[in-house]
Structures are given as C-alpha cells and as structure tokens.
Amino acid sequence: MISSPPVAPPEPPDAPDLPVRPKKQRTASLVLYIGLVLLALWVVRDFIAVVAWAGVIAIALWPVLRKVEGNRWFTGRTTLIAAVLTLLIALLVVLPVGIGIAQALREAHDMNEWFKTVQENGIPLPDFVQHLPFGVQQISGWWQANLAQPLRGSAAMKGLHSPTVMTLGRHFGARAVHAVMVFAFVLVTLFVIFQAGPRLSGSLLKAMRRGFGDDGAQLLQRMAAAVRGTVSGLVVVGLGEGALMGAAYFVTGLPHVALLGFVTAIAAMLPFCAPITFGIAALWLLSQGSVAAAIGLVVFGSVVVFVAEHFVRPVLIGNSTRLPFLLVLFGILGGAETFGLLGIFIGPALMTVLMVLWTDLVQ
C-alpha cells in the first residue's frame, strides 16, 4: 500500500495588521500637529516679537518675582505683584521718553525762532572755523556761498516742503504709533506671564523633561540664565557708561548734564549706541567754538565705549552664563545683525546651546 505524502500543515494566517495602523496614525497625528502649530504661528506672526520681548523682560526679572512672592506680605497676591512689576516696567520706559519730549517742547520755541532767523539772515560762520589748522579759506568760502546768505528761497528750504519730506514725516509718525502699540501689547503679555508665575515655569520645565529628558530641562535653564546675564550686563555697562560720560559732559561745560548722562546711559544699554549721544554733544560744543572740548569728548567717549563693548560687557555676561569671551561677543553682535535689537538677547542664548552641544560631544 502506497502511503500518501504527508500533507503540509496549513500556513498560519497572516498576523493582524494592528501595529501598522497605530504607527500610521501616529505619523498622521504628528503631521497634523506640526501643521496646526505652523498655522498658529503664521496667524500670530506679527505678535511673535511681542511675546519674545515680554519673555526676555520676564526672564530678567524672574528672580525679583520669586523673591517678592516669597515675602509673607505678598503671599497669594499674584495679580497685585504682576500689576506692580508691569507698572514699574512701563514707568521705566515712559518716564525717559516723556522727559525727552517735554525737553524738546521747551526747546521748540527757540528752535522756531532760530529757523526764522536762518530764513531771513542765513547761518553765520561758526567761530571755531577760524581756529582750524587747515582748510579755513575753503570752508569759509563754501559757507559764505551756501549758508551765510538768506535761505528762504534756497533749495534746502524748498526741499523741506517737498513730497519726499512729507512722506518721511508720515512714515515716522506711523512707526511711532506702531511702536506704542507694540509696547502696549508687550506690557499686557508681560502681565500675563507674571501672573502665571511658577505655574508657567513649572509647565515649561515639565514639558522639556517629557520631551527631551533632564538634559532638555537643564538646557532651558541655562538659556534663561544666558538671557538674564545678557540683560544684567547691558544694564550695568549702560549705567557705567552713562556715569562716565556724565562726568565728561560736566567737565566740558555742556548744559543739562544730568539729562544727557541719563540719555547716554539708556543708549549705552544697546551696543554701540552711546556714540550717537556724545557725538551730538560734541557737535554742539563744536558749534559753540569749543574745539578742544569737542575733540576731547569724542576721544574719551570712544575709549569708554571701546573698552565697555569689547571687554567689560562680554566678561560680565560670560561670567554669568559660563560662556567664553568670544562666544559672548559673537553672540551679541551676530544676534543683533541677524535678529535686530531682540537678537542681542537671543544670540547669547543660542551660543549657550552651542556650548552645551559641544560639551556633550567631547565628554
């Protein structure tokens, strides 16, 4: 009897396609989430800078906020603390601007009278021109031919009423209104951040730990420290430059020394903006015939700015952020060039990320 060949056992049915479907769903969900986030960022694109500025200010003042919250007199009064801190920030910006506008309005009458005199009689040759070591005849001849004559019918006066000047004036007004609106939104955002307080910081750290582990949370803290150190360095150096230049203004005999020193301190908090203030002051001294005082002011101010911007400020920021000197300097200058004024604070934070990645790579 011939035995039949053994029958092969039936192949097991294909495994259910259960793991594939969740993977596809996760991929689709990820794409959907990314798309929604990008869409949301596009919708609020005009307010990203507002949130960034509010974040920088909040990070800089966060230790103050925590210290005030720890006081038993302010326990549980989060809204009051947020309102007071926001009001102080508003006054810190509004008061200098208001003082400057008030001073400009006081000088407006004299400026108007000078403008009328220039139209009728021209601009007289400054006394310091006669004391220049060279070029006296050339400068005097050009001045007499172009500026010493009545300027009512000159091309310069006609140009003041040209459509281009009017357009520039309207553009400046629109930019000023836009700046006021941005500042108002920054204050509102800052109030909300202060009011959220520890809940917001705790949520951010929790999200970083969940997404990137403990290293991500530490990186976030170091980036915040970099921003805080940058703000501290800018403020300290700005106040120092303002004090030194205020003393120079007093020595050279400039009027309104306190106001000029304060304006210089505010300008010096921004990299390489202090020369604008002492440059204008030097021009005023030059117009009054004080050539030596003007030259001395420019030389002294240039030395102060050079030392402060290239040595003192990077060292202060580097010590608080544990960044090398060059990384701080490149972060400030490169950030300002790439992102504008906000980049002054973003640059050192990005350099902190670079330093952390390099440290993890070599260790």
Side-chain angles (χ1 to χ4, degrees):
M1 181 176 181
I2 301 175
S3 60
S4 59
V7 179
E11 295 182 0
D14 293 337
D17 197 20
L18 293 178
V20 178
R21 183 173 299 174
K23 183 177 180 181
K24 292 182 179 180
Q25 289 179 349
R26 287 195 298 269
T27 303
S29 299
L30 180 61
V31 173
L32 177 62
Y33 293 157
I34 293 176
L36 291 176
V37 169
L38 293 177
L39 179 61
L41 291 176
W42 182 79
V43 170
V44 300
R45 63 190 182 278
D46 292 334
F47 298 95
I48 293 177
V50 170
V51 176
W53 274 114
V56 168
I57 298 173
I59 290 172
L61 295 179
W62 206 256
V64 178
L65 176 66
R66 299 304 299 270
K67 187 175 182 179
V68 173
E69 287 179 338
N71 192 303
R72 62 188 182 89
W73 296 102
F74 294 97
T75 302
R77 300 181 178 180
T78 307
T79 303
L80 176 62
I81 297 173
V84 171
L85 288 178
T86 305
L87 180 62
L88 290 177
I89 294 297
L91 292 177
L92 186 63
V93 175
V94 171
L95 283 181
V97 175
I99 293 173
I101 293 176
Q103 186 67 29
L105 291 176
R106 282 196 294 267
E107 301 291 341
H109 179 267
D110 296 337
M111 181 62 68
N112 187 42
E113 293 297 326
W114 177 85
F115 190 74
K116 291 179 179 178
T117 303
V118 165
Q119 286 183 312
E120 298 296 335
N121 304 318
I123 304 176
L125 182 69
D127 295 335
F128 73 89
V129 175
Q130 302 297 332
H131 303 285
L132 293 177
F134 54 87
V136 176
Q137 293 183 352
Q138 292 81 357
I139 296 176
S140 299
W142 180 88
W143 196 285
Q144 293 294 337
N146 295 276
L147 299 178
Q149 305 298 324
L151 301 180
R152 180 178 296 277
S154 65
M157 289 298 172
K158 293 179 180 179
L160 292 177
H161 302 284
S162 65
T164 303
V165 175
M166 301 298 292
T167 302
L168 289 176
R170 287 193 295 268
H171 179 71
F172 177 79
R175 296 293 297 178
V177 172
H178 179 264
V180 172
M181 295 299 296
V182 168
F183 181 64
F185 280 114
V186 168
L187 291 179
V188 173
T189 307
L190 190 61
F191 173 79
V192 173
I193 293 175
F194 283 150
Q195 192 178 35
R199 291 186 290 106
L200 179 60
S201 61
S203 299
L204 289 176
L205 290 175
K206 183 178 180 181
M208 291 297 292
R209 286 194 181 95
R210 178 172 296 180
F212 305 98
D214 291 335
D215 292 339
Q218 293 177 2
L219 179 60
L220 180 63
Q221 291 175 336
R222 289 196 61 178
M223 291 177 65
V227 173
R228 192 177 301 117
T230 303
V231 174
S232 300
L234 293 174
V235 172
V236 171
V237 172
L239 293 177
E241 289 187 36
L244 291 175
M245 294 309 301
Y249 297 151
F250 177 78
V251 172
T252 54
L254 282 164
H256 310 295
V257 173
L259 179 61
L260 283 175
F262 182 76
V263 172
T264 304
I266 298 298
M269 293 179 187
L270 309 177
F272 305 106
C273 286
I276 298 176
T277 56
F278 69 73
I280 295 175
L283 289 177
W284 188 88
L285 288 173
L286 204 61
S287 67
Q288 301 299 313
S290 302
V291 180
I295 295 175
L297 182 64
V298 171
V299 172
F300 178 77
S302 300
V303 172
V304 169
V305 170
F306 180 82
V307 174
E309 300 292 344
H310 292 85
F311 298 100
V312 179
R313 179 170 287 162
V315 169
L316 287 177
I317 298 175
N319 289 339
S320 60
T321 58
R322 292 177 292 174
L323 286 176
F325 170 82
L326 280 180
L327 283 183
V328 175
L329 183 62
F330 293 160
I332 293 175
L333 299 181
E337 182 179 1
T338 305
F339 301 105
L341 186 59
L342 190 60
I344 297 174
F345 311 99
I346 297 177
L350 294 178
M351 292 301 102
T352 300
V353 176
L354 181 63
M355 190 65 186
V356 170
L357 294 177
W358 173 256
T359 303
D360 293 341
L361 180 64
V362 299
Q363 286 182 351

